[in-house]
Amino acid sequence: MSGRLWTVTALVVAVIVTVSSCDADAPPKNTPKPSAAGSLAPNSPPSPSQPSSRPTSQPTPWAAGRCLDVQAPKPDSQVPALVDCAFVTAGAQITKLVYQGNGPVECPKDSDGLLDTPAGQEPRTACLRNRRAPHPGDVGKGGGLLRVGDCTLIEDDPVVTVEERACYDAHGPGRIRSFTKTKKACTRKIWSYAYKWQGSYVCVGPGEDAKEVGPQYALASCLTAPKTKKRKTVFGTENSIVGGLKKVSCKLKKAWGKVVGHVSIEFECRRPADYSVTSSTTTLYGLAHGPDPYPAITCIRRL
């Protein structure tokens, strides 16, 4: 909604007419001829048909509470127009206007997107909230402002980049646990990783570099009987699956187990689950080792 402000001022000239006393019957040479609207008397105001200026049109200012005809984050190319919030086309509402560039710091945390005001407006950043779902600004939904509870894909080569993405479940992957001032404040937590980004450290859980979003084995999928090997851990001896779990149709006789849930590393699978399996992309001596990259423990019920 870019508008131009045009001001056109008509120049009104007051003509002073001097009539010679020796030639009163003949109009003086400099006397203006009467027009259809009447003669122009000395110092007379302009007639209604000759306004002194045209009406000026100023763009409606963007303000908190007004609505735009798009949904956040922002349109691809066209600058959105202001519309009445009662209209069905009102996609997003301006919740706050802040100094341009300060949106990530000053906008409400549940903002679905940010948008700079267009030309003709006071330069500001508009904080937007969709009038209806989806709301990418909600925690874990993959958009809006980055905050605790959001999930990320982090790459640190050659520089650290933090890409927000929707959380598959309530646990990750790469879920942000906190923003810390020091690296030590993050890494002292079990299975936490710190990345220097925008002046502070992003403290995330397992799966910060996982390309896939979610558990490796989908809910209600069936699996064949796994090959296992005993290994010693700090918690004692446990069975480690060799070669991973293989998916199979639940209608086949070789279907051994069914995925009945996923839980975080802090909790155990409960009934009706008979087994819990942690997947990992890290291996040690050919065996799975390290934190779950998703992160989730797969709960399996024996068929």
Side-chain angles (χ1 to χ4, degrees):
M1 187 192 72
S2 69
R4 295 180 180 176
L5 183 61
W6 294 89
T7 304
V8 179
T9 305
L11 181 62
V12 180
V13 180
V15 180
I16 307 298
V17 180
T18 304
V19 180
S20 173
S21 59
C22 63
D23 194 9
D25 295 334
K29 295 180 180 180
N30 294 329
T31 302
K33 294 181 180 180
S35 65
S39 62
L40 186 62
N43 298 322
S44 64
S47 66
S49 62
Q50 295 176 337
S52 60
S53 62
R54 296 180 183 176
T56 59
S57 60
Q58 295 190 9
T60 304
W62 286 27
R66 288 184 171 155
C67 293
L68 302 175
D69 63 351
V70 293
Q71 278 197 323
K74 68 178 182 179
D76 294 332
S77 58
Q78 195 171 5
V79 177
L82 287 173
V83 294
D84 191 308
C85 290
F87 290 177
V88 69
T89 55
Q93 188 169 32
I94 301 173
T95 58
K96 187 178 181 181
L97 285 172
V98 301
Y99 284 109
Q100 202 165 85
N102 287 5
V105 178
E106 297 184 18
C107 280
K109 296 300 183 183
D110 64 350
S111 297
D112 290 323
L114 311 176
L115 184 61
D116 289 341
T117 54
Q121 299 277 345
E122 190 175 2
R124 292 287 185 268
T125 293
C127 314
L128 305 178
R129 177 76 175 172
N130 286 340
R131 299 273 291 166
R132 49 194 169 273
H135 290 290
D138 290 349
V139 173
K141 296 301 182 180
L145 304 177
L146 200 62
R147 51 182 169 157
V148 174
D150 285 333
C151 292
T152 59
L153 172 63
I154 297 180
E155 297 181 356
D156 56 359
D157 186 23
V159 295
V160 173
T161 58
V162 179
E163 177 187 342
E164 184 177 355
R165 60 184 175 186
C167 297
Y168 182 87
D169 55 19
H171 311 292
R175 199 174 188 90
I176 298 177
R177 300 187 174 187
S178 62
F179 294 93
T180 60
K181 293 183 179 180
T182 63
K183 186 175 183 178
K184 186 177 180 181
C186 172
T187 54
R188 66 187 178 189
K189 300 177 182 179
I190 298 177
W191 304 130
S192 293
Y193 306 88
Y195 293 89
K196 187 68 176 290
W197 186 69
Q198 294 188 353
S200 63
Y201 286 92
V202 182
C203 184
V204 297
E208 75 283 0
D209 56 353
K211 301 297 181 182
E212 298 295 330
V213 291
Q216 183 176 354
Y217 309 104
L219 192 66
S221 61
C222 290
L223 311 166
T224 58
K227 297 179 179 180
T228 62
K229 186 176 182 179
K230 291 187 180 295
R231 66 166 181 162
K232 292 183 179 180
T233 68
V234 292
F235 304 104
T237 302
E238 64 181 26
N239 288 328
S240 176
I241 295 175
V242 180
L245 294 169
K246 295 181 180 180
K247 298 178 184 179
V248 68
S249 172
C250 294
K251 297 179 181 180
L252 298 179
K253 289 184 178 180
K254 60 180 179 181
W256 166 82
K258 188 173 185 178
V259 178
V260 293
H262 302 99
V263 296
S264 71
I265 58 177
E266 288 84 9
F267 300 94
E268 294 181 354
C269 292
R270 291 178 169 83
R271 293 291 180 186
D274 300 305
Y275 304 96
S276 61
V277 176
T278 301
S279 61
S280 176
T281 56
T282 305
T283 59
L284 181 64
Y285 305 116
L287 300 177
H289 177 74
D292 186 347
Y294 294 103
I297 291 176
T298 302
C299 305
I300 301 174
R301 176 174 63 86
R302 177 70 183 274
L303 295 178

